Amino acid sequence: MKQYGHSYDAKGSLLDVVVGSAFQRPIVECNRSCSCTPLCRNRVVQKGIRFRLQVFRTRRKGFALRTLDAVPKNAFVCEYAGEVLTVAEAGRRVNAQTAADANYVLAVREHVGGESVTTTYVDPARVGNVGRFLNHSCCPNLVMMPVRVNTAVPRLALFAACSIRAGDELCYDYAGVRSQGSADEDAARGEGHGGDCQGASWTMGQGGGCHGAASVRQQEFISESAFGDRERLKPCYCGATCCQKYLPFDACLFDV
């Protein structure tokens, strides 16, 4: 904690200094090694979900997740939880899938410094939580951030990228890039998430092979996520004005 400092304000929302820098500093919550109490403001993700969330079925996207409460910007919403896999097992599961199968394998890339990259593979298909029902949006209202609690393996926490209204569907960008499109226009047409979701860009990288590859570095779109394999592309039904027409694709595990 002395090295990284507090990551949240008194209400449990991410500080702007955490989400607004060119290179995101690590988010490390207080843990069992700390002398603070459970009421410490630097214990947020470890306390779990505090907003009411609901799984529902959509017309074109299958199941989805929405909030029943208004969520303020930078507030923690939920985790993308699942089995932590080796790269070999992640590749085996991805390559065993057919075109009709849903893919949940998430590859989280963290740029530690220089050329060093740490990758964590998570699959909630067998063991997971409500995070597995989050759909993609080209103009998302959530952003994923690796958060560490008691261990070096990150917890994949999703925070509100903007103010979210009660009843809105919750989505994040599988490529990790927040679009410049106007969410207010989408909301007016009944297709978006409303609030003030427009602006900054985030990097994650995602797609067919890797259901999302989060990077702690902003402004850097991972090349593997480019629309390079047309046969594996799936249509995007997010409905945003900035929609890219296809879900982001990352072939990083197909050759493992």
Side-chain angles (χ1 to χ4, degrees), residues 186-253:
D186 294 333
R189 291 167 33 234
E191 297 177 350
H193 310 296
D196 55 0
C197 286
Q198 50 184 321
S201 99
W202 294 83
T203 306
M204 279 168 26
Q206 138 123 55
C210 302
H211 182 288
S215 166
V216 294
R217 180 155 38 169
Q218 293 179 297
Q219 309 295 344
E220 174 203 39
F221 191 72
I222 299 172
S223 61
E224 292 169 330
S225 300
F227 301 127
D229 193 330
R230 292 286 174 179
E231 294 180 358
R232 289 170 175 164
L233 292 181
K234 295 183 178 180
C236 177
Y237 300 120
C238 73
T241 55
C242 59
C243 181
Q244 300 298 303
K245 308 304 178 185
Y246 294 98
L247 293 179
F249 178 81
D250 187 340
C252 66
L253 289 177

Side-chain angles (χ1 to χ4, degrees), residues 175-193:
V177 179
R178 286 186 58 196
S179 163
Q180 298 295 325
S182 171
D184 292 329
E185 289 180 19
D186 294 333
R189 291 167 33 234
E191 297 177 350
H193 310 296

